[in-house]
Amino acid sequence: MSISVRQARYFIAAADFGQVSLAAKELNISQSAVTTAIKQLEETLGVKLFSRVAKGVYLTAEGARFLSHARNIIAAVNEATQSPLRVESGAEGRLKVGLTYTVAGYFMPRHHARFLRSYPQIEIELVELPRNAIEHRLVEGDLDMAVILVSNLRNKKDIAYETLFRSRRRLWLPPGHGLLSAPSVSLADVAREPYIMLTVDEAAQTAGSYWTRHGLKPNISFRTASIEAIRSMVAAGMGVTILSDMVYRPWSLEGQRLETRGLEVDVPTMDVGIAWSKARAESPAAKTLRDFLSTSVSDGVH
C-alpha cells in the first residue's frame, strides 16, 4: 500500500487543528474520511501517528517526525503543479525581505532555496530584524516585504498581511514525565513544573498573555533566547515548556528524546505570514514571491 497525497493532506490538517472534526470542517469533507485516511497511514507506516484524548488528538513522537515528511510531499506536489506555470510570468528584479528570528531559522531557508531554483531572475536579500524594526522599515519603504510572526504584528493600520499557516503550541516534556500519561493536562498542571521560558520573537510576552488570562503564572527556572538550549534542557529533565510545532524536533543536539503533549486549554497559535506596506504598490517580483509562498503553504506545508 502506498501513501497518497490525499492522506498526507488529511493528516496535516488533523495535526494542525488538533481535532479530526475541525480538520474535516476545514477540508469540507466528512469526519470519517479524515479518520480513515489517518488509519490507513498508520497501517502503512506501522506506527501510531496520534494519541487520542477527550478533546482531540495530539502527535506522537513518530507522528511529529512523519509530519515534516508529509509537508515535504505536499510541497513537492505544489511545486510540480504550480512553479512551471509561474516561471513563465517573466517577473524579475530584486527584493529586500525582512525576517524575524524564528522564521529565519525554522521556515524560510527551504522555501528560499526552492524559490531561487524556480525564479533565478529574481534576486532576494534576506535581512533578520526584530518585529518592531521590520514594521518600521516596511512603512518607511526600506523593505519590500517581510515574512514574520503575523500573530505579533502591531501596526495593522499601515501594514497589510496574509497568514500562511498557524502552528499549534504544545507542552514539551522529557520521556517518562508524569504528565505524558495524565488523562488531560491543564495550565495549572504545568504551573507546578519548572518552566524554561523562551524570550526571542516576543515569546515571553505571548506566553504571559495566555497565562494571565487563566490567572496563573509559570514557575520559570530559566530564560533563554535559544530554542536549541530549551530543547536540550527539556530533554535532560530540567523543566518543561510550551512552544510551537514549527520549532519542535523530537531530539536534542545531544541525541536525547523530547515528547509533546496537547493542553486542555486553548493556547494561541503561532501564525506565520507575509507582511507589506499598504502604501506601496506591489512589484511583479514581490507578487511572485507572495504567490509562491501562499501556494507552497496553502496545504499547511511548512
Side-chain angles (χ1 to χ4, degrees):
M1 187 184 299
S2 59
I3 294 172
S4 70
V5 173
R6 174 184 57 81
Q7 289 171 338
R9 284 187 171 130
Y10 292 6
F11 166 73
I12 290 169
D16 286 344
F17 285 95
Q19 291 185 16
V20 171
S21 59
L22 292 180
K25 183 177 180 180
E26 176 70 13
L27 295 165
N28 196 28
I29 58 173
S30 68
Q31 185 171 332
S32 62
V34 178
T35 301
T36 299
I38 293 172
K39 183 179 178 181
Q40 290 171 343
L41 268 178
E42 291 180 326
E43 291 174 350
T44 301
L45 298 170
V47 296
K48 188 177 181 182
L49 299 173
F50 289 105
S51 290
R52 279 76 175 175
V53 293
K55 293 194 175 184
V57 296
Y58 66 91
L59 289 168
T60 62
E62 292 77 12
R65 283 195 290 272
F66 180 69
L67 182 59
S68 64
H69 296 304
R71 296 194 193 285
N72 289 336
I73 290 170
I74 302 302
V77 171
N78 286 336
E79 185 173 15
T81 58
Q82 299 291 335
S83 294
L85 301 177
R86 291 179 178 168
V87 168
E88 297 174 1
S89 67
E92 59 183 26
R94 187 175 186 276
L95 295 174
K96 191 171 184 179
V97 180
L99 306 175
T100 47
Y101 172 86
T102 305
V103 170
Y106 294 88
F107 172 77
M108 197 61 183
R110 60 179 172 273
H111 293 292
H112 176 256
R114 289 177 53 236
F115 181 82
L116 293 184
R117 288 196 299 269
S118 298
Y119 303 93
Q121 71 277 21
I122 298 177
E123 180 184 353
I124 298 180
E125 178 186 355
L126 300 178
V127 183
E128 183 184 308
L129 295 165
R131 187 267 315 159
N132 57 348
I134 285 178
E135 291 191 24
H136 175 75
R137 293 196 185 191
L138 283 173
V139 173
E140 294 298 313
D142 294 332
L143 292 174
D144 295 294
M145 61 193 303
V147 186
I148 62 174
L149 304 184
V150 293
S151 45
N152 294 345
L153 187 66
R154 296 293 180 267
N155 185 2
K156 296 180 181 179
K157 175 184 176 183
D158 300 312
I159 297 174
Y161 69 96
E162 173 187 347
T163 300
L164 293 173
F165 69 91
R166 295 178 172 86
S167 182
R168 291 188 69 203
R169 288 183 168 97
R170 305 176 201 259
L171 179 65
W172 293 15
L173 311 111
H177 194 285
L179 291 179
L180 286 170
S181 59
S184 63
V185 179
S186 67
L187 274 184
D189 295 326
V190 180
R192 288 189 283 270
E193 303 289 331
Y195 193 92
I196 315 296
M197 177 65 77
L198 181 67
T199 58
V200 76
D201 271 353
E202 302 168 288
Q205 294 91 318
T206 300
S209 66
Y210 61 77
W211 279 96
T212 300
R213 187 167 66 248
H214 291 279
L216 296 165
K217 289 183 179 181
N219 177 24
I220 299 173
S221 59
F222 190 74
R223 299 175 188 268
T224 177
S226 170
I227 295 173
E228 294 305 326
I230 289 183
R231 206 186 312 280
S232 294
M233 290 180 175
V234 171
M238 295 173 62
V240 302
T241 195
I242 298 172
L243 288 176
S244 79
D245 286 345
M246 188 180 81
V247 301
Y248 173 72
R249 304 292 183 272
W251 304 97
S252 70
L253 291 175
E254 297 80 15
Q256 293 179 291
R257 183 77 170 266
L258 289 92
E259 306 284 357
T260 62
R261 179 69 197 269
L263 295 162
E264 68 175 21
V265 297
D266 291 327
V267 175
T269 57
M270 187 180 75
D271 302 347
V272 175
I274 310 164
W276 64 94
S277 171
K278 292 180 179 179
R280 299 184 66 198
E282 186 177 46
S283 70
K287 184 179 187 305
T288 299
L289 177 58
R290 183 158 66 90
D291 288 347
F292 175 87
L293 291 175
S294 298
T295 300
S296 295
V297 191
S298 62
D299 295 287
V301 181
H302 57 275

